[in-house]
Amino acid sequence: MLSALARAATRRPLTVMLLWGLFLLLGFGLGTGVFARLSDNVPEVPGTESESAAQYLNRVDPTGESITGVISGTTVSDPVLRAEVERAVADVREVAGVAAVPDPYTTPGLTAEDGRALIVPVRLESGLDDDAEKRTLDAAADRIREIDAPDVRVSGGPLLGSQIAERAQEDVKNAELVSLPVVLVLLLVVFGGLRTALLPLIVAVSGIAGAFLALFAFSGVTDISVYAIQLTTMLGLGLAVDYALLLLVRFREERRHTEDAVEAVHRTVAAAGRTVLFSGLTVAVSLTGLLVFPSVFLRSMGLAVAAVVVIDMLAALTLLPALLTRFGGRIPPAKAPKGGEEGRFFARVARFADRRKAAVLAVVVPALLVLAVPVAGMSIAVGDARQLPTDTEARQLHDTVSAHFPPGTGVSPVTVVVRPGTDPATADRIRALSPNAETRGLPGGTTVIEIPPPGASDGEEATALVERVREARGDEPVEVTGTAARLVDFREMLAERGPWAALTVLAGIFLLLFAFTGSVLLPLRTIATTLLSLGAALGVVVWVFQDGHLAGLLGAEGLGALSLTAPPLIVAIAFGLAMDYELFILARMREARQHTGDDREAVVTGLRRSGRVVTCAALLLAVVFAAFMTGGFSPILQIGLGLTLAVLIDATVVRMLLVPATMAVLGRRAWWAPAPLRRVHDRFGLREEAEEAPRPPRVPTGV
């Protein structure tokens, strides 16, 4: 297959480039339409009690979503301002699709005790389609913003989602403006020429276009999260540069041996192209674990990111060879290393780890475990407007309410749906859980009890309240929904499906690594060392964003919990990226072992030849992730920091120290497989087309 792709790219390079050009236009033309289709309904899990109750309310409740306006910065009892607010309230009530707007001056709790802030809640009718809801929201919000006061903010409900989507779009643009020039400068340093440095960026831009187009396609069949834009663009850019870097370095090496650029392309794709193929597959397989979860958010993220990985892989294996066929003759071969040996630094590190394997393991493993300790206390939450940067309207509204109103104001209640036929005593027990419980009736005899939780909407008190309500209802037809209930159900979903997701990913990774190496011990060793680096990175994220240590340096604050989106995405993506670098190194080790038959020297040679590529790739990917952390949106900051640390720890400490140390411990056993599996690999496993040297003696099956 790879040979066919290489031949197609070299025989018809202009055609290949034209097709990718059309793909790029589609991505940045049609694909950017996904920005209008983003959803912030992250915690929804189909089939759960909270989702069932929410859908029932959507059908029978005459009122729907709500938004909130806050007027502050002056004395709100001023007669002129009061008259203007009352006119605005009257106008908003007349907007088509608005169900109710209470008088903020006569409704208890809507005027701050200090007299300098006022809340204007707007409840929409239920059953509005998307277009009608948008028209209603825009008209109501615009009218409230026309109030002449020092500070007027409107957010909440569907407006919050659209404001986050707008911020995501802005952050993507800013991150690209920051990361692309920095990546170009680093590529110039690596390759020493503008022509060569531009090629990875061309592949990267194609990857970004593919990210947009893939998300747009998926948005037609499922909800796409607001987080998807930043995450898929981040990976689309980073992985494309990684794959292009690997191929370009190999191409320049092959140019030492042949002046024919087309021949060099074929040899590059035959060797490094296989590594790119397996790397892309391992990253995609790592994301299949997200498909095990019933959460629409996790499934859509898994599909979207996996699609972007495949697009990057295809761009590297088709577009880049076509570009090299046309322009590769002008790219100089890699310079011969001074002293006759390339990668001497990495060779010295590998030999040190080999000689001092016990010391390396005794220092590195405990250090990574210490960094991973905070994971034991990790907590997840839906989050509130504090996750947003301080210059966003939603965050400013939240801060204004917090400054002028008692704790709990504006907190989403625990919503209890009491169906007809429920024992009245059960409803009384539920109402008795809080003196602030409010009851309202719905058509058909259903009763809704809304209980404001102490603290945050998704805090420990709120989730404990959900558990108490579910315990108090017994077997009665009572359902609980709301933010806290969704969080409880989401946590249960993770706990129930998490082991199956892990088993799916680990089994897939094991099979791919076995196909790549022919060993059963190398996949196990790789998984163990990867889990160490992953645990360390996630532990630092918990320490920073949950516990609040050094969070201010990143423009964030400790929130007491991570965003429920961060841990599963960090684990899935970082695991795949770690496999990426592992394959870069294993490919060179395997190649050296096939040519020399020396297991020990193959480890040194593998790191010597791949260390520079892995280090440069990790640095470039870290730059991309860091650029996306400039937006200030806490979930993206958490994911960005987690992935940055995972990449850097894995590409340095793990791959440069732990890998050679563990390989030294295993010795020749590292490449061992039982005889039946060895025969399977001999028949179906990876083969190099350019394999010229005799294979080393097989390790006895009893070792």
Side-chain angles (χ1 to χ4, degrees), residues 250-301:
R250 187 60 179 248
F251 175 78
R252 295 184 70 199
E253 289 181 10
E254 296 297 341
R255 289 277 286 150
R256 290 181 191 167
H257 310 296
T258 176
E259 296 183 359
D260 186 346
V262 173
E263 176 63 22
V265 170
H266 287 169
R267 294 175 65 89
T268 297
V269 175
R274 296 179 186 276
T275 304
V276 170
L277 175 63
F278 270 74
S279 296
L281 290 175
T282 53
V283 177
V285 166
S286 297
L287 296 164
T288 59
L290 297 176
L291 304 182
V292 174
F293 298 104
S295 165
V296 174
F297 163 74
L298 292 179
R299 285 185 172 180
S300 66
M301 289 297 293

Side-chain angles (χ1 to χ4, degrees), residues 318-596:
T318 57
L319 176 59
L320 185 58
L323 292 169
L324 289 175
T325 300
R326 291 290 297 175
F327 309 109
R330 304 174 188 175
I331 296 176
K335 296 180 180 179
K338 296 180 180 180
E341 183 183 89
E342 60 182 338
R344 285 179 295 173
F345 169 77
F346 299 104
R348 286 197 297 267
V349 172
R351 290 193 175 97
F352 168 80
D354 180 87
R355 292 193 306 268
R356 300 287 187 269
K357 50 185 177 292
V360 168
L361 293 174
V363 172
V364 173
V365 172
L368 294 177
L369 289 175
V370 168
L371 291 177
V373 165
V375 176
M378 182 179 69
S379 178
I380 60 172
V382 177
D384 52 30
R386 290 179 300 163
Q387 294 181 329
L388 291 164
T390 55
D391 61 347
T392 56
E393 186 172 17
R395 173 62 185 270
Q396 292 169 349
L397 184 149
H398 175 275
D399 291 346
T400 300
V401 171
S402 299
H404 294 281
F405 291 87
T409 302
V411 171
S412 298
V414 172
T415 304
V416 185
V417 180
V418 182
R419 302 288 186 94
T422 302
D423 186 346
T426 300
D428 291 340
R429 284 198 305 272
I430 293 172
R431 276 189 288 265
L433 294 175
S434 172
N436 299 319
E438 297 182 359
T439 304
R440 58 188 175 92
L442 295 179
T446 297
T447 301
V448 174
I449 304 173
E450 294 183 337
I451 309 175
S457 303
D458 55 359
E460 292 183 6
E461 297 92 344
T463 54
L465 178 59
V466 171
E467 300 291 356
R468 290 201 301 273
V469 171
R470 289 177 173 174
E471 182 179 351
R473 73 184 172 191
D475 297 328
E476 297 292 327
V478 175
E479 294 179 316
V480 188
T481 188
T483 301
R486 289 184 187 276
L487 177 59
V488 170
D489 292 342
F490 195 92
R491 287 173 175 171
E492 291 180 355
M493 179 267 297
L494 289 179
E496 178 184 347
R497 297 295 183 92
W500 292 106
L503 182 62
T504 301
V505 171
L506 294 179
I509 292 296
F510 181 89
L511 290 175
L512 280 172
L513 288 176
F514 171 73
F516 192 79
T517 64
S519 166
V520 296
L521 294 182
L522 279 179
L524 296 176
R525 192 270 304 159
T526 297
I527 290 171
T529 54
T530 300
L531 290 176
L532 278 174
S533 63
L534 184 56
L538 191 57
V540 175
V541 172
V542 172
W543 188 75
V544 173
F545 291 101
Q546 179 173 308
D547 302 338
H549 303 289
L550 306 180
L553 298 178
L554 299 175
E557 56 187 279
L559 301 177
L562 298 185
S563 167
L564 57 80
T565 63
L569 292 179
I570 290 174
V571 170
I573 296 170
F575 197 86
L577 294 176
M579 294 299 106
D580 208 32
Y581 297 132
E582 178 74 11
L583 285 172
F584 286 6
I585 295 172
L586 283 178
R588 290 295 200 169
M589 288 183 182
R590 183 174 181 273
E591 184 178 322
R593 184 172 181 268
Q594 287 174 334
H595 282 79
T596 66

Side-chain angles (χ1 to χ4, degrees), residues 614-685:
V614 168
T615 303
C616 291
L619 180 59
L620 290 168
L621 202 56
V623 167
V624 173
F625 291 157
F628 279 83
M629 292 169 61
T630 59
F633 187 31
S634 184
I636 297 299
L637 288 177
Q638 294 169 28
I639 295 170
L641 179 62
L643 294 181
T644 300
L645 291 174
V647 165
L648 293 179
I649 292 173
D650 198 85
T652 54
V653 177
V654 173
R655 301 304 159 202
M656 300 304 159
L657 291 174
L658 272 189
V659 166
T662 52
M663 292 292 283
V665 171
L666 292 173
R668 297 188 67 189
R669 296 179 182 85
W671 303 92
W672 172 82
L677 291 181
R678 173 65 65 183
R679 287 193 292 269
V680 170
H681 183 267
D682 288 343
R683 184 172 181 182
F684 301 107

Side-chain angles (χ1 to χ4, degrees), residues 19-217:
L19 290 174
W20 276 101
L22 293 174
F23 182 79
L24 190 146
L25 292 176
L26 277 175
F28 286 110
L30 179 65
T32 52
V34 72
F35 285 104
R37 300 183 177 185
L38 300 179
S39 169
D40 65 336
N41 296 325
V42 173
E44 294 181 0
V45 180
T48 58
E49 176 185 325
S50 58
E51 182 63 14
S52 172
Q55 291 179 351
Y56 176 78
L57 289 177
N58 289 338
R59 293 194 302 270
V60 303
D61 196 340
T63 60
E65 298 275 8
S66 65
I67 61 173
T68 302
V70 174
I71 295 94
S72 63
T74 186
T75 303
V76 296
S77 60
D78 177 77
V80 176
L81 178 60
R82 177 166 184 165
E84 188 167 349
V85 170
E86 290 175 344
R87 285 195 299 271
V89 168
D91 291 343
V92 172
R93 286 172 178 163
E94 298 300 318
V95 173
V98 171
V101 186
D103 187 334
Y105 286 99
T106 60
T107 304
L110 297 185
T111 302
E113 293 183 2
D114 61 8
R116 297 187 62 81
L118 192 73
I119 296 176
V120 181
V122 179
R123 176 75 68 171
L124 276 60
E125 297 175 356
S126 65
L128 296 176
D129 60 37
D130 292 342
D131 292 338
E133 183 180 83
K134 186 177 186 307
R135 288 194 298 269
T136 302
L137 288 171
D138 290 344
D142 290 344
R143 182 61 187 91
I144 294 174
R145 292 189 181 107
E146 290 174 0
I147 296 173
D148 186 14
D151 193 3
V152 180
R153 307 290 175 189
V154 187
S155 187
L159 269 185
L160 177 60
S162 63
Q163 289 168 355
I164 292 176
E166 291 172 3
R167 182 64 187 226
Q169 186 173 9
E170 180 184 346
D171 287 350
V172 166
K173 291 179 180 178
N174 293 337
E176 290 171 355
L177 290 175
V178 171
S179 61
L180 287 175
V182 177
V183 168
L184 177 59
V185 170
L186 291 175
L187 289 172
L188 282 170
V189 173
V190 172
F191 293 116
L194 181 61
R195 185 182 294 108
T196 313
L198 284 174
L199 292 181
L201 290 186
I202 295 174
V203 178
V205 171
S206 301
I208 294 173
F212 291 159
L213 199 58
L215 289 175
F216 182 80

Side-chain angles (χ1 to χ4, degrees), residues 592-604:
R593 184 172 181 268
Q594 287 174 334
H595 282 79
T596 66
D598 188 331
D599 294 280
R600 197 167 188 176
E601 192 60 29
V603 174
V604 175

